[in-house]
Structure formats: C-alpha cells, structure tokens
Amino acid sequence: MKELLPLFGIVTVLNTPFKDDGSIDIESLEKHVDYAIEAGVSGILYPAMDSEVNYLTEYEKIEGIKAVMATNQNKVKVIGGCYGKQRADRLKMAEKLIDLGVDGILINLPYNNMESFISELKEIDKINPSFLMVQDWDDRGYGIPLDVIENAFNEIESFRVLKIEVVGSCLKYTDVINRTKGLLNVSGGWAVMHLIEALDRGVHCFIPTALHEIYVRIYELYRTGNRESAKDLFYRLLPVINFSNQSLDISIIFFKRATNI
C-alpha cells in the first residue's frame, strides 16, 4: 500500500522574469529562488501557469529549470512543470525533467475520458519519475471525476499528489481525501483563498505565488496550534488574494510587481 508522500507546507510557483527583449531573465529567476528559500518555502514549482509557461520556448523551460535546480542545491524540493499541447510533447518534456533530476513532475493534461487519461499517466509512470503531481484545473466546474482520481491513484505507482484548483475546491479536498483514505497528498493551488478551511479539512500543502513569508507564517501558526492567529493573519491577506485572483493575467502582473521581478 502507498504511504502519504511527505510534501507539506508552502510550495511556491515562481513567476518568470523577462528581459526587455522578451527573453527569460535567468539572473532574476535565480534571485527569486534564493528569496523563496530564505522565506521558508518547502518546495518550488516551475514552470507553471503563473510562470507564463505558454509563452516560454522549450529551450527557455529547460534553461529555467536548470537555473532553479542549480540555485536550489537540494535545499527544498523542486517540481518541474510538464506542459505540452500534444501527448508526445508532454512525454518528451517529462523525460527531460527527469534527466535534470527534479524531485517530482507536475503533469497538466486534458481530461476527455478515464481510459485516455489514465493511459497517459501510465505512459509517464513508465519513465520512472520520483512522483507525479496531477493538476486538477477547472475554473468552471468540479474537474477530474472522483472515480478517475481513485482509479489512477490505485493503478499508478508514481501518482502521489493532486493539485486541486476547481470550483468547489473545499468540498473536493474532502472527497478526494476520503476516497483515497488520506494516502493521496492533496494540495491547494489557485484555491488558496480558502486556506484556513483547507487546513481544517486536512489539505497537506499549498501552492500559491509570491508573498512567501506570509503564507509560510500562516501555515506555521496553524500547524503549531495557533489557529486563531493564523486566521487573523490570513484575513488580513484575503483582500489581496481576492484582488489578484480575479484572473490569471491579473495575478501574474500583480505578483510580479509585488516581488519586483
């Protein structure tokens, strides 16, 4: 039987800094890695949607991951974002991420039906990633059906984390934890606006963007039994989250200005 993957705390998504000519600014990205680690995050996810991954070339994605890995020097877990329009593209990217030595892979793939979804995850599982984090993203609905999640978890050894970003995220946290007997690591991403309730429901880690010190402090307060202090700090932060989460574009622009990248 699988054991719960020990991925807890704040795993931050890094925004991608760009130079004036539109190319990736590696030096600024490295500084952001240092800043996140010093703030106390337990992991880094790169590239991802908040990294403007769709604007990065394959070369830039690889160079960005290399920079993150080299700067991190095994201080925290690094999860490589695996994105691609076609199945073959995603498999190729997964292979490259594994070669680069990432601790885990975030896989973002469209859900059409159970057979094709699980089939692709099994294909990636065969190349032996340390663990797979599946992105359950749906800004209009409930996302991947529970039966599919449960079957994939039971059948695919490396599938250890689900990143939930759906309508009704809190309900789904509980549904997934119950369906997988608490053995599938559940993380909250875009739905971090429900942070305190998510902690109450047993969510294991959170994957926001920027504001590292504040998120880390809220998490630490809660985990050390200071729920009311954690809630008070979170409520002070909530107007910022509500404003930035109006859309992905607003979120990216806002947090880049907030972190001066």
Side-chain angles (χ1 to χ4, degrees), residues 105-236:
I105 293 175
L106 169 76
I107 180 69
N108 176 282
L109 62 153
Y111 176 75
N112 296 310
N113 57 69
M114 182 184 296
E115 183 179 1
S116 64
F117 188 84
I118 292 182
S119 172
E120 181 166 346
L121 290 180
K122 285 183 175 179
E123 190 172 10
I124 296 174
D125 181 65
K126 288 178 181 177
I127 60 178
N128 201 30
S130 296
F131 68 84
L132 281 177
M133 172 188 286
V134 173
Q135 185 167 17
D136 187 7
W137 165 266
D138 186 350
D139 61 354
R140 296 185 179 183
Y142 193 70
I144 305 167
L146 287 174
D147 286 347
V148 177
I149 294 168
E150 184 177 4
N151 288 344
F153 179 67
N154 290 334
E155 295 179 24
I156 301 165
E157 183 61 31
S158 62
F159 175 29
R160 307 290 301 281
V161 188
L162 184 69
K163 182 173 186 268
I164 295 176
E165 302 172 285
V166 303
V167 176
S169 57
C170 285
L171 175 61
K172 193 159 192 180
Y173 295 147
T174 298
D175 288 343
V176 170
I177 289 170
N178 289 340
R179 280 291 190 104
T180 59
K181 299 178 174 61
L183 298 176
L184 176 60
N185 188 295
V186 172
S187 73
W190 185 258
V192 77
M193 65 179 65
H194 306 298
L195 180 56
I196 300 300
E197 183 177 351
L199 283 164
D200 289 343
R201 288 172 179 262
V203 172
H204 305 102
C205 71
F206 298 88
I207 310 181
T209 302
L211 305 180
H212 315 305
E213 298 98 337
I214 301 175
Y215 284 117
V216 168
R217 182 60 177 157
I218 293 169
Y219 185 89
E220 289 178 344
L221 283 169
Y222 187 97
R223 287 302 182 196
T224 54
N226 296 308
R227 184 183 184 278
E228 288 305 309
S229 296
K231 185 175 73 172
D232 288 345
L233 182 54
F234 174 69
Y235 281 176
R236 290 171 62 189

Side-chain angles (χ1 to χ4, degrees), residues 9-174:
I10 304 301
V11 176
T12 190
V13 176
L14 299 179
N15 292 126
T16 300
F18 294 102
K19 297 180 180 179
D20 291 340
D21 64 3
S23 62
I24 186 172
D25 185 341
I26 294 295
E27 183 179 354
S28 293
L29 181 62
E30 292 169 341
K31 290 179 180 178
H32 199 175
V33 172
D34 284 334
Y35 162 52
I37 293 171
E38 289 171 5
V41 302
S42 59
I44 291 171
L45 169 58
Y46 186 85
M49 292 169 65
D50 271 351
S51 310
E52 297 174 88
V53 64
N54 293 330
Y55 293 100
L56 299 176
T57 65
E58 183 175 322
Y59 173 79
E60 287 175 324
K61 293 174 188 175
I62 297 301
E63 290 304 299
I65 280 287
K66 286 181 179 178
V68 170
M69 297 287 290
T71 307
N72 177 55
Q73 296 183 344
N74 296 314
K75 295 183 181 76
V76 301
K77 291 186 183 299
V78 174
I79 302 165
C82 183
Y83 292 79
K85 292 183 179 180
Q86 303 297 326
R87 182 168 178 158
D89 298 329
R90 294 188 288 269
L91 180 61
K92 181 181 177 182
M93 187 62 181
E95 290 172 336
K96 289 184 176 181
L97 290 169
I98 291 172
D99 288 343
L100 290 171
V102 297
D103 295 289
I105 293 175
L106 169 76
I107 180 69
N108 176 282
L109 62 153
Y111 176 75
N112 296 310
N113 57 69
M114 182 184 296
E115 183 179 1
S116 64
F117 188 84
I118 292 182
S119 172
E120 181 166 346
L121 290 180
K122 285 183 175 179
E123 190 172 10
I124 296 174
D125 181 65
K126 288 178 181 177
I127 60 178
N128 201 30
S130 296
F131 68 84
L132 281 177
M133 172 188 286
V134 173
Q135 185 167 17
D136 187 7
W137 165 266
D138 186 350
D139 61 354
R140 296 185 179 183
Y142 193 70
I144 305 167
L146 287 174
D147 286 347
V148 177
I149 294 168
E150 184 177 4
N151 288 344
F153 179 67
N154 290 334
E155 295 179 24
I156 301 165
E157 183 61 31
S158 62
F159 175 29
R160 307 290 301 281
V161 188
L162 184 69
K163 182 173 186 268
I164 295 176
E165 302 172 285
V166 303
V167 176
S169 57
C170 285
L171 175 61
K172 193 159 192 180
Y173 295 147
T174 298

